[in-house]
């Protein structure tokens, strides 16, 4: 028997269809405990360069992962073929592997029925963004880039537009059933000037495609490209940096690893207390900073449960600079006598504490570097959350509250956590991507370590 | 494996060989009946990151005299 295909091209697996599918899979298992995770996804993407589309594609897929527990042994197997024979084969494979697996000393029993907060994260307009609609949006962005870049000649615009609609479900042999559906869209444009020295970038991402403005993205990318022509070198070093909300979005979610309670308890994270334990209750950031995850927040609309079906609730990680909570897995929570939280960023991530615009942060800067976004970030030291990366597509010198000239890009070494202790000012939280609310920040002594030839 | 049966799972195992020597040591290879389509549903690359399903189908094969390492043993 095949799962009934959804009737409408924009639809994803419904709650009833997900329940039917998971019930069918569970019926094939005779193991002590079984869990079924289902992801049904409709994705569409279009790449473009030099004013034309280079690739366009999409996928429709349903992945079923079966996790079987025998005693304290557990294993998983996945398939995307949904006929009974394939599902049975997947259950059998997981069962055989579970019997072969060593006992898991950290194994937690599967969960029974749970209650979840209601999260409406599915937007029809995003799910309906087909190839034609994507091409139309790209056309508008490219036209806007061409017009905005005219003074520099023929602007070269390239980019990527992606829209996803997804339904996820978790069911266990103990009666748990969880279902959630969500959409997201991401659109970025990189613009280059014909002389090859200017590059600009702009991006928007949201659950609701209606919140993405292709014309603004094309225009801003081209304006930055024109403004960043013939960049000049300044010596690497510690500079005040104004990070646009997109640059902050590149850095702040990298705190996720540090938010693991186990890493902190085991002395491996920036939130480990010297001598043992965690830094919960200590000041870890500027007192204006509050960092939280909340699937029910209308600006985040995150996932209300994790892969085990554990409810994900509002978690305030840092409140007015004080570390309040860390993320506990079910195993670690039981061991430490805490409440399990699930993964740190399942409920999205918001950094709040300011009200100003990026322009006001620039206006308040006597001398500094404006950063459009970061590129190719890699971790250096988990104990300080130290990262390295590049500025890209528009770094500018700020003097006396105004942008005065384009700068050659930098490589930098900086920690998003230590940086939150050197804030001069905080902007208002802005929706930068699905599940992200991030402000612009003005950071003192941002560590730009060397020059980069990249534009 | 013992006496033609899988009897348990090993950990800290690696093998090390010269590519040509390794493939020359193969003395059995599976056929249609043992072909297995494996892969990953979430192979990702790029900036912005993009995710694709990737497949890798193969048959099992047997190799003789392979240098097996215990990666947990310190020198």
């Amino acid at each position: 028997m095949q799962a009934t295909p959804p009737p409408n091209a924009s639809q994803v697996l419904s709650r009833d269809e997900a329940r039917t599918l998971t019930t069918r899979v569970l019926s094939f298992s005779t193991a002590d405990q079984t869990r079924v995770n289902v992801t049904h996804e409709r994705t569409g993407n279009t790449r473009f360069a030099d004013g034309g589309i280079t690739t366009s594609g999409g996928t429709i897929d349903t992945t079923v992962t079966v996790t079987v527990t025998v005693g304290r042994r557990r294993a998983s197997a996945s398939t995307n073929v949904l006929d009974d024979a394939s599902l049975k084969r997947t259950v059998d494979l997981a069962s055989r592997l579970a019997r072969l697996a060593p006992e898991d000393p950290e194994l937690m029993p599967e969960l029974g029925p749970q209650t979840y907060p209601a999260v409406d994260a599915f937007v029809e307009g995003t799910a309906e963004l087909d190839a034609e609609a994507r091409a139309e949006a790209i056309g508008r962005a490219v036209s806007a880039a061409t017009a905005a870049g005219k003074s520099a000649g023929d602007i070269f615009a390239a980019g990527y537009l992606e829209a996803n609609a997804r339904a996820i479900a978790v069911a266990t042999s103990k009666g748990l059933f969880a279902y959630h559906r969500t959409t997201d869209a991401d659109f970025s444009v990189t613009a280059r000037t014909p002389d090859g020295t200017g590059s600009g970038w702009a991006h928007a991402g949201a659950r609701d495609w209606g919140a993405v403005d292709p014309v603004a993205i094309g225009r801003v990318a081209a304006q930055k490209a024109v403004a960043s022509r013939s960049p000049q070198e300044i010596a690497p070093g510690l500079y005040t940096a104004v990070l646009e909300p997109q640059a902050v979005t590149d850095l702040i979610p990298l705190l996720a690893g540090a938010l693991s309670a186990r890493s902190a308890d085991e002395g491996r994270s920036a939130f480990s207390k010297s001598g043992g334990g965690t830094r919960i209750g200590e000041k870890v950031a500027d007192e204006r900073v509050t960092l939280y995850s909340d699937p029910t927040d209308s600006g985040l609309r995150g996932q209300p449960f994790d892969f085990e079906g554990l409810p994900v609730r509002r978690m305030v990680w840092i409140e007015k600079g004080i570390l309040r909570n860390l993320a506990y897995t079910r195993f670690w929570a039981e061991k430490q006598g805490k409440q399990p939280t699930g993964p740190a960023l399942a409920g999205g991530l918001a950094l709040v504490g300011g009200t100003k615009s990026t322009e006001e942060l620039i206006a308040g800067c006597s001398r500094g570097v404006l950063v459009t976004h970061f590129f190719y970030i890699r971790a250096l030291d988990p104990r300080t959350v130290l990262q390295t990366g590049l500025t890209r597509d528009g770094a500018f010198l700020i003097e006396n509250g105004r942008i005065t000239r384009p700068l050659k890009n930098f490589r930098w070494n900086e920690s998003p956590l230590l940086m939150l202790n050197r804030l001069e000012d905080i902007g208002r939280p802005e929706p930068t991507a699905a599940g992200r609310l991030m402000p612009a920040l003005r950071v003192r002594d941002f560590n730009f370590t060397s020059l980069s030839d990249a534009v | 494996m013992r006496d033609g049966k899988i009897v348990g799972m090993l950990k800290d195992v690696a093998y090390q060989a010269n590519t040509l020597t390794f493939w020359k040591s193969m003395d059995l290879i599976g056929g249609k009946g043992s072909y297995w389509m494996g892969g990953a549903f979430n192979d990702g690359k790029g900036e912005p990151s993009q995710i694709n399903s990737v497949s890798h189908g193969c048959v099992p094969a047997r190799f003789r005299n392979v240098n097996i390492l215990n990666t947990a043993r310190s020198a």
Side-chain angles (χ1 to χ4, degrees):
Chain A
M1 187 181 87
Q2 288 279 350
T4 313
N8 183 314
S10 69
Q11 290 303 306
V12 291
L13 204 68
S14 70
R15 179 182 292 272
D16 286 347
E17 288 163 338
R19 196 187 283 276
T20 303
L21 176 59
T22 55
T23 303
R24 189 151 55 95
V25 176
L26 287 173
S27 76
F28 297 145
S29 178
T30 56
D32 301 352
Q33 300 175 59
T34 307
R35 181 174 78 239
V36 188
N37 288 74
V38 175
T39 302
H40 178 251
E41 210 169 25
R42 291 174 171 270
T43 74
N45 65 74
T46 305
R47 294 180 185 82
F48 58 100
D50 202 11
I53 287 169
T54 53
T55 64
S56 180
T59 61
I60 302 171
D61 202 9
T62 308
T63 305
V64 173
T65 299
V66 181
T67 302
V68 165
T69 306
V70 180
R72 296 194 65 83
R73 303 171 194 273
R74 177 173 284 173
S76 299
S78 298
T79 184
N80 62 351
V81 187
L82 304 185
D83 58 77
D84 279 1
S86 300
L87 293 172
K88 277 182 190 156
R89 198 158 52 233
T90 306
V91 171
D92 289 346
L93 177 60
S95 303
R96 273 193 289 140
L97 290 171
R99 287 182 173 85
L100 282 169
E103 291 198 342
D104 180 355
E106 301 185 2
L107 188 129
M108 295 296 288
E110 297 294 358
L111 290 165
Q114 307 285 314
T115 53
Y116 304 107
V119 177
D120 181 9
F122 190 90
V123 182
E124 294 288 346
T126 310
E128 287 165 0
L129 196 73
D130 59 11
E132 197 179 336
R134 295 196 303 271
E136 190 271 337
I138 288 165
R140 287 198 291 141
V142 170
S143 296
T146 305
K150 219 165 193 65
S151 65
D154 289 335
I155 281 281
F156 180 97
Y160 184 62
L161 169 54
E162 179 181 281
N164 304 305
R166 188 179 301 117
I168 58 168
V170 188
T172 71
S173 51
K174 290 187 166 178
L176 177 145
F177 179 77
Y179 172 87
H180 178 62
R181 58 178 198 153
T182 181
T183 54
D184 56 78
D186 266 288
F187 190 15
S188 64
V189 173
T190 304
R192 295 279 167 91
T193 55
D195 66 358
T197 70
S199 183
W201 177 90
H203 165 268
R207 303 237 173 266
D208 182 358
W209 168 248
V212 175
D213 181 353
V215 170
I217 295 169
R219 185 181 62 236
V220 171
Q223 285 169 342
K224 280 182 178 283
V226 172
S228 67
R229 279 176 302 170
S230 306
Q232 295 168 31
E233 292 184 10
I234 59 170
L238 301 178
Y239 289 93
T240 296
V242 174
L243 311 181
E244 293 193 10
Q246 288 290 349
V248 174
T249 307
D250 292 333
L251 291 184
I252 295 299
L254 301 172
L255 291 171
L259 292 172
S260 154
R262 185 174 192 168
S263 296
D265 279 321
E266 292 182 341
R268 296 183 274 124
S269 107
F271 295 138
S272 301
K273 197 173 194 162
S274 60
T278 76
R279 296 178 63 196
I280 287 177
E282 289 184 18
K283 184 171 181 296
V284 297
D286 184 287
E287 60 275 3
R288 290 166 292 183
V289 166
T290 292
L291 184 72
Y292 69 89
S293 300
D294 184 354
T296 66
D297 186 299
S298 61
L300 298 175
R301 295 196 268 179
Q303 203 172 298
F305 52 85
D306 74 357
F307 68 101
E308 291 179 293
L310 182 75
V312 170
R313 302 203 160 85
R314 179 181 174 88
M315 294 299 301
V316 178
W317 309 112
I318 297 173
E319 185 183 27
K320 295 186 164 69
I322 309 290
L323 182 67
R324 291 292 182 204
N325 286 292
L326 291 170
Y328 285 84
T329 62
R330 291 174 59 220
F331 169 73
W332 202 249
E334 187 178 78
K335 191 176 159 68
Q336 303 292 90
K338 305 276 186 178
Q339 284 297 312
T341 64
L345 301 193
L349 192 65
L351 176 59
V352 299
T355 56
K356 291 178 182 167
S357 67
T358 304
E359 291 68 31
E360 287 172 298
L361 263 56
I362 294 169
C365 180
S366 54
R367 190 163 195 270
V369 176
L370 173 65
V371 177
T372 298
H373 77 138
F374 295 119
F375 186 77
Y376 222 102
I377 301 170
R378 291 294 178 268
L380 294 176
D381 175 20
R383 291 297 307 272
T384 54
V385 208
L386 186 67
Q387 313 285 324
T388 186
L390 298 161
T391 66
R392 203 75 199 268
D393 306 311
F396 301 94
L397 185 66
I398 303 167
E399 292 172 298
N400 301 319
R402 294 184 54 231
I403 295 168
T404 52
R405 53 190 155 120
L407 294 178
K408 204 165 164 177
N409 283 302
F410 293 103
R411 174 164 287 284
W412 49 269
N413 286 4
E414 187 56 88
S415 156
L417 180 63
L418 301 182
M419 174 183 99
L420 288 179
N421 288 278
R422 281 184 265 115
L423 296 185
E424 287 188 356
D425 214 340
I426 307 176
R428 57 171 167 259
E430 296 184 22
T432 51
R436 298 283 180 269
L437 283 173
M438 293 287 151
L441 295 175
R442 194 166 74 237
V443 183
R444 194 171 56 249
D445 292 341
F446 195 96
N447 189 13
F448 296 102
T449 52
S450 60
L451 293 168
S452 159
D453 284 327
V455 294
Chain B
M1 287 178 284
R2 232 178 248 128
D3 301 326
K5 285 206 162 54
I6 299 172
V7 293
M9 193 182 278
L10 298 172
K11 64 176 185 175
D12 305 322
V13 178
Y15 68 89
Q16 196 173 53
N18 171 292
T19 300
L20 287 178
T21 314
F22 175 77
W23 284 101
K24 279 181 183 165
S25 74
M26 185 175 77
D27 72 342
L28 267 181
I29 185 163
K32 208 171 177 180
S34 58
Y35 179 83
W36 172 265
M37 178 62 89
F41 294 123
N42 53 357
D43 179 70
K45 280 184 171 57
E47 291 227 12
S49 68
Q50 293 152 48
I51 293 170
N52 268 312
S53 300
V54 289
S55 61
H56 180 69
C58 62
V59 291
R62 189 172 72 187
F63 300 83
R64 294 293 189 184
N65 296 316
V66 180
N67 182 25
I68 304 289
L69 310 178
N70 176 351
T71 59
R73 190 166 54 203
S74 50

